[in-house]
Structure formats: C-alpha cells, structure tokens
Amino acid sequence: MIKKYKILVADDDLDILEIIKFNLERNGFDVTVTNKSTETYELALKIKPDLILHDVMMPEMDGFQVCRKVKHSEVLKNIPFVFLTARNEEHSEVQGFDLGAEDYIAKPIKPAALSTRLKTIIKRYVKEEELPNLNVGIFKIDRDSYVVYKNEEPISLPKKEFELLYILAGSPGKVFSRDDVLARVWGNDVYVGERTVDVHIRKIREKIGEDFITTIKGVGYKFIA
Amino acid sequence: MIKKYKILVADDDLDILEIIKFNLERNGFDVTVTNKSTETYELALKIKPDLILHDVMMPEMDGFQVCRKVKHSEVLKNIPFVFLTARNEEHSEVQGFDLGAEDYIAKPIKPAALSTRLKTIIKRYVKEEELPNLNVGIFKIDRDSYVVYKNEEPISLPKKEFELLYILAGSPGKVFSRDDVLARVWGNDVYVGERTVDVHIRKIREKIGEDFITTIKGVGYKFIA
DNA sequence: TGCCGTGTTAATGTTACTTTAATATTAATA
DNA sequence: TATTAATATTAAAGTAACATTAACACGGCA
C-alpha cells in the first residue's frame, strides 16, 4: 500500500481549485476542496488531512485567521499549514506571521512543482514510521533492499508479494483473512477481488517454498516459522 | 545538488529590498526580506539563513544592536553578518565595531558584485562538509577528481551522473526511490520529472556496466557491490 | 558563430507485474 | 462416496512501470 496523502485545499477561486485538485490527484494525492474559508476548520476536523493548502485572501475569514484557529486545536495543530499567495500580495506579511514553521506558495502555481513541494513539506512533518526488518526463523525480510533471505539465499520479490509476506511474517502463527490482507497490503480504498490474494500466495510459495504459508480453510492464511 | 544559500536581508527602504531580492534570487539565492529590524532576530531563528545582510541605519533598532543580539545567540552566532551602509555614513564606525570577522557592503549596491561578494563570504564561514571518497567492491569513487575507478580503469562521469552513483553506492543494497534520489541529488526545491532519473541511470549503466544497478519495480534502484 | 557535452523532456517500446476468470483440486460433511 | 464449498492452479488479458531513443535547450568554448 502506498500511503496516499490527504490535502485540504481552500481557495475562493473555483478555477484554481479545479486546477489544483486535478494536478494533485494526478500525482496520487487524495484531495478535498472548499471555496469557503469558514468551512476549512470543520472539514479539517472531519477528514484529518496531512496538509492544508489555504489561500491568504478570502472573504469572511482570511488565511491567517483560519491558520490560527487550526493551530489552537489540539487535534489539528500538527498539520502543516501552507499559504497560497498571489504574486503581488505581501509575502513579507506571510513571512512575518508567526507560523511555527509553516510555508507558503506563490501563485501562479506551477503544477509540476506543487506536488513535489507538498510532498517535501509533509515529509518534514510526518516522519514516516520506519518499518523494521524482520528475522523470523530461517528468514530475514529486509525492507531496505526489498530482498528476503532464506538462510543465506537471497530471494527478490516484487512489491505486492513482498508486502504480503511482510504482513504475514510480521505475526507468525496468526491467521490473516483475505480481507485483512487486502486492507493492509492494498489499502482500504482499493477494491480488488479476494482471489487475487490466492494468486499472490501461490507466487510467494513458488519462490520461498511450499511449507511456510499454511491455509486455514474458511479463514485465511498464516505464516509459520 | 547545488546548495542554495539562504540570505536574510533587512532594510527599511522597500525599493532597495526589492532590488536586492530580485538580484540575489536571479543568482540562485533563497532570499527572505524584512523592513523591520525588530523582526530580524526572530526571522533568523526561524529560517536559519546562511548569511544576514543588514542595513546599519534603521528605525527602532540599528544594525549594530541586531548584530550583537544575533552574535549572542548560540544558534545564530556562526552566521556571517554583513552590514549595508550608505556611502556617506561613517565607514569607520562600522570598521571600529567589534564584529568578529564581519563584513560590510556600501550602497549604492552593484548587483553583479553583490552575489559574488556574498558567496565568497559564505564560503569563508561555511566549511563545506567534506564528503568522503568511496571504496565499494571493485569501484573507487573519487570526489576529488569526479572519476570512478572500476578496478583500475578510470571512468569519468559528469556531475549529475556522478552524484547519483555516489548516493546509490554510498549505501550498497539499499533501495532508493526516485523521490529519494531527486531530493538528494537535485535538492528539495528543484523540480524535474521522475523519468529524468531513469535516463541518468541509463547513462551510468552504459559507462560502468549493466550489472551494478538493479531495478526494484514499483520501488526504485539500488547499487550492488 | 557553430559545435560539443550535459541535462531534461517527451514519445514510444518493452517488460513484467497484477488482476481476472476459467477450471481443477481438495477438504468437509452428510 | 457424492455433494458442496472453499481454495489452488493456470493462462490470458490488462495495466503500470521501466527502458530506450530521439529531440530539444542551454552553456561553454574553439
């Protein structure tokens, strides 16, 4: 499962919203938009975005007000808040605003740059939980190199097979239903058939041997060490 | 990656700020400006500039006061602090000020000269971290000469190819995503497409041989020793 | 000025991974 | 052992990811 970052975008210009949404989604973000800054806070509470991208100049509430409100919320205050500013607006005003370490992006927006920039900002905040390498029985499962060692023999697995084995081997003996596996390897919003899991299990068994993953009929699969 | 130096500029004249900002940015600096000397210190704490360029004569706090404050901060005291002085101000006053090894620049400013001058000053302070040469398997990667030796055979690589190989070979076996590579070789604020990495990998493989960089589909590339 | 080397992009080709669907096999149980 | 449900197996279709090539832009330099 590739972590899909959620971005909340607020701008009163519907065209800009459209452009941003289109481009970010094409780059694998999960995008929610609003054209009313009064809604930003409620929306943020609801969807818990990984980043808020907010126009500075908006009717009713400006970006600074929204930012302050967000930063006073226990739940939301750790979400990076990025300002969108028109080129001729006062950048210094943004810079002077006590943002913690917030950032700002100037319009007009360069789509290619935007995704990269946001990813960088998110990564700075959300320190990816480092998933540990595993040592289970005769197997060593090494995420750094995407290689599984059976005793000393290196076996290279493609992504899905690797992640599936990683989940199973992470809790040896525990049975995972196909639904569990799909949720954890494919993610909660990807819908593929359950038989797909069977096929991947087949591939893994071919590569690491038949004796390490057992089937519990009517339940699912488990890894045995 | 070319290190992009951050300059913090303080001057009460907005026109001068504009000119300086424009010219420094054109020369590849990352520029933050303020027209309030009372803000300099806070801003510096926030953005950690590589150099502070500060007008001497400013309302509220003059440059000397700001400089003193900065030099008393554990975090900031190693940042070079450069004074901007009007031609008819007392240079001797600046020279007499106990600056450590600070510098000053006289207005009116010659844009072309400015960038060069600042670069020189920064380099004097910021001793570039010395990256070590690598010996990995049959390869020797020599930063001094930008040459890769495969056994004894010297292979000359252009900059980007060299840096890319250097990153990969620096952690043999570890998989680097294209994003990782872009961040580390191109830097966090340069936006080129991911396919660019593929092309460079191609060039490197052509030169050092096909068997040393492996592709992990869906993940990235790794160097094997 | 024109050429060469480097870096980037875009277009196209190719590979191999993923998913599905069809069929076979196995296990439970009556 | 016949029936059924569940899983295994396989091949084929679909797709995503990567490889390759060519074209262009740009700067340095003869």
Side-chain angles (χ1 to χ4, degrees), chain B residues 185-201:
Chain B
V185 176
W186 275 258
N188 272 316
D189 30 42
V190 177
Y191 308 104
V192 304
E194 293 203 337
R195 292 279 75 74
T196 298
V197 177
D198 302 29
V199 176
H200 281 85
I201 292 283

Side-chain angles (χ1 to χ4, degrees), chain A residues 62-78:
Chain A
D62 69 25
F64 298 123
Q65 291 174 285
V66 177
C67 182
R68 251 182 234 108
K69 194 167 172 191
V70 165
K71 288 299 164 182
H72 280 106
S73 153
E74 268 312 309
V75 195
L76 303 181
K77 71 177 178 192
N78 287 321

Side-chain angles (χ1 to χ4, degrees), chain B residues 178 202 205 215 217-218 221:
Chain B
R178 291 176 175 70
R202 174 90 269 280
R205 281 174 174 158
T215 307
K217 270 199 142 176
Y221 299 98

Side-chain angles (χ1 to χ4, degrees), chain B:
Chain B
M1 159 170 46
I2 306 126
K3 164 82 166 140
K4 201 171 184 186
Y5 295 117
K6 275 183 288 192
I7 312 284
L8 174 57
V9 188
D11 197 307
D12 54 325
D13 183 332
L14 289 175
D15 292 330
I16 292 197
L17 277 186
E18 189 57 39
I19 292 169
I20 293 180
K21 186 174 163 68
F22 175 78
N23 279 290
L24 288 181
E25 282 182 346
R26 215 182 35 168
N27 282 284
F29 289 96
D30 186 349
V31 184
T32 306
V33 300
T34 176
N35 65 339
K36 295 196 191 65
S37 57
T38 46
E39 283 178 353
T40 310
Y41 184 77
E42 296 301 325
L43 262 177
L45 278 178
K46 194 159 72 187
I47 65 172
K48 306 267 173 54
D50 297 289
L51 184 148
I52 296 169
L53 184 59
H54 210 290
D55 193 16
V56 169
M57 297 284 279
M58 285 183 76
E60 304 195 85
M61 276 177 98
D62 69 26
F64 299 124
Q65 290 174 283
V66 177
C67 182
R68 251 182 235 107
K69 194 168 175 191
V70 165
K71 289 299 163 181
H72 280 106
S73 154
E74 267 313 308
V75 195
L76 303 180
K77 71 178 179 191
N78 288 320
I79 298 174
F81 196 105
V82 177
F83 291 105
L84 273 170
T85 71
R87 184 176 294 291
N88 51 5
E89 281 167 20
E90 262 306 331
H91 288 174
S92 55
E93 189 185 355
V94 177
Q95 288 168 358
F97 183 69
D98 181 11
L99 313 163
E102 313 309 329
D103 212 330
Y104 71 97
I105 288 177
K107 304 189 216 175
I109 289 156
K110 290 187 188 145
L114 184 61
S115 304
T116 321
R117 180 86 173 274
L118 296 189
K119 260 179 209 154
T120 309
I121 294 173
I122 289 172
K123 284 218 183 101
R124 212 160 54 207
Y125 274 72
V126 184
K127 45 189 171 299
E128 301 278 327
E129 67 220 283
E130 290 279 319
L131 293 174
N133 297 331
L134 298 177
N135 281 288
V136 211
I138 60 171
F139 289 99
K140 182 176 165 218
I141 305 185
D142 185 72
R143 293 195 70 82
D144 303 328
S145 55
Y146 265 69
V147 168
V148 175
Y149 294 90
K150 180 185 181 181
N151 294 319
E152 301 303 306
E153 170 201 5
I155 303 166
S156 176
L157 297 183
K159 189 163 180 179
K160 284 280 191 286
E161 289 167 34
F162 185 91
E163 299 292 359
L164 173 36
L165 177 59
Y166 186 83
I167 293 297
L168 292 185
S171 304
K174 179 170 157 59
V175 183
F176 290 85
S177 72
R178 291 176 175 70
D179 270 356
D180 291 339
V181 169
L182 286 174
R184 299 197 46 189
V185 176
W186 275 258
N188 272 316
D189 30 42
V190 177
Y191 308 104
V192 304
E194 293 203 337
R195 292 279 75 74
T196 298
V197 177
D198 302 29
V199 176
H200 281 85
I201 292 283
R202 174 90 269 280
K203 301 251 178 81
I204 297 172
R205 281 174 174 158
E206 269 174 13
K207 287 170 187 166
I208 71 167
E210 305 289 322
D211 306 331
F212 304 101
I213 297 173
T214 324
T215 307
I216 311 295
K217 270 199 142 176
V219 189
Y221 299 98
K222 68 178 172 181
F223 177 90
I224 47 178

Side-chain angles (χ1 to χ4, degrees), chain A residues 1-19:
Chain A
M1 162 173 47
I2 307 125
K3 166 81 168 142
K4 203 173 183 185
Y5 294 118
K6 275 183 288 191
I7 312 283
L8 174 56
V9 188
D11 197 307
D12 53 327
D13 183 332
L14 290 176
D15 291 330
I16 291 195
L17 278 186
E18 187 57 39
I19 293 169

